[in-house]
Structures are given as structure tokens and as C-alpha cells.
Amino acid sequence: MWQDNNDRILNILDIIEAKNNECFPVVCPICGRREGHLYFHRYKETKELGGMWTWCSACYHSAHAMYRLPKWWKNLEQIKFEKLASLPDYLEDNKMIIDEWVNKLIFSNY
């Protein structure tokens, strides 16, 4: 169901770096629908690195990788580390609280 064969889904990360006041969910760079999501998870053993997920709820493209996280990122308590996987099924189930959390963190740091 999920496809990880199109790196354009990573363009969702540009929104974090652009600081353009765009709210999540964002427009998917692949299908053009406002169903693009992002989540980071900071590893406890390191201050800088963590997991990164970008995905689209409409076209089911996704990407997952290790990533140097923004200093302002804080893990969302409701997201349990042991439930995270490379495919974003668990994140998709929680996308509304994730989008709200990401927006809160972004706008408190601009």
C-alpha cells in the first residue's frame, strides 16, 4: 500500500526549513492534495539525531530515514517509540494530533 519510490515526498521537509508559515497538513509534492505530513522522533541516546517520516495520506507515498533534527523539536508524548516503524501506518492513525503538534512547535519557534 505505501510507496517509497519517489523522493519528492521529502520536499515536505522544505516547509520546515523555509519558515513560510504553512500549516500541516501541507500540499503533497507528488499528488498535489493537502494531505502531506511530517513527524520526527528524537532518540534518547543522542541530542541531534532521530527518525524522520514524511508521508501523504492521499497518494500513500512515504519516506523514512535517520535525520539531524531541528533543535526545537520535542517528541510528542502520545507517540510511542516502540510502535514506530519504517512505514507510517501508526503515524497515519495519529496524523491529526501529529499535525497539531508539529504546527505548535513550528509556530512557537518562528
Side-chain angles (χ1 to χ4, degrees), residues 47-82:
K47 300 278 190 228
E48 296 179 349
L49 297 177
M52 175 281 305
W53 291 261
T54 57
W55 75 99
C56 176
S57 301
C59 68
Y60 293 97
H61 280 88
S62 68
H64 167 63
M66 186 176 283
Y67 193 74
R68 185 173 306 278
L69 302 184
K71 292 185 187 309
W72 48 261
W73 179 261
K74 294 176 180 60
N75 292 342
L76 177 56
E77 286 184 21
Q78 290 94 326
I79 301 300
K80 303 301 177 198
F81 177 74
E82 59 274 2

Side-chain angles (χ1 to χ4, degrees), residues 23-106:
C23 289
F24 282 84
V26 297
V27 172
C28 173
I30 297 171
C31 73
R33 294 185 57 195
R34 187 170 282 281
E35 293 287 339
H37 309 278
L38 168 96
Y39 185 70
F40 298 125
H41 191 88
R42 189 178 304 281
Y43 301 143
K44 290 183 180 182
E45 57 274 357
T46 178
K47 300 278 190 228
E48 296 179 349
L49 297 177
M52 175 281 305
W53 291 261
T54 57
W55 75 99
C56 176
S57 301
C59 68
Y60 293 97
H61 280 88
S62 68
H64 167 63
M66 186 176 283
Y67 193 74
R68 185 173 306 278
L69 302 184
K71 292 185 187 309
W72 48 261
W73 179 261
K74 294 176 180 60
N75 292 342
L76 177 56
E77 286 184 21
Q78 290 94 326
I79 301 300
K80 303 301 177 198
F81 177 74
E82 59 274 2
K83 292 187 176 186
L84 293 171
S86 60
L87 296 177
D89 291 315
Y90 173 62
L91 298 173
E92 174 69 10
D93 291 343
N94 292 282
K95 66 184 175 185
M96 290 173 60
I97 63 167
I98 290 170
D99 289 341
E100 184 177 311
W101 181 248
V102 172
N103 289 334
K104 178 181 177 181
L105 291 177
I106 288 172

Side-chain angles (χ1 to χ4, degrees), residues 5-16:
N5 59 356
N6 192 327
D7 288 344
R8 287 189 305 156
I9 196 70
L10 293 170
N11 292 350
I12 290 173
L13 292 168
D14 295 342
I15 292 160
I16 296 290

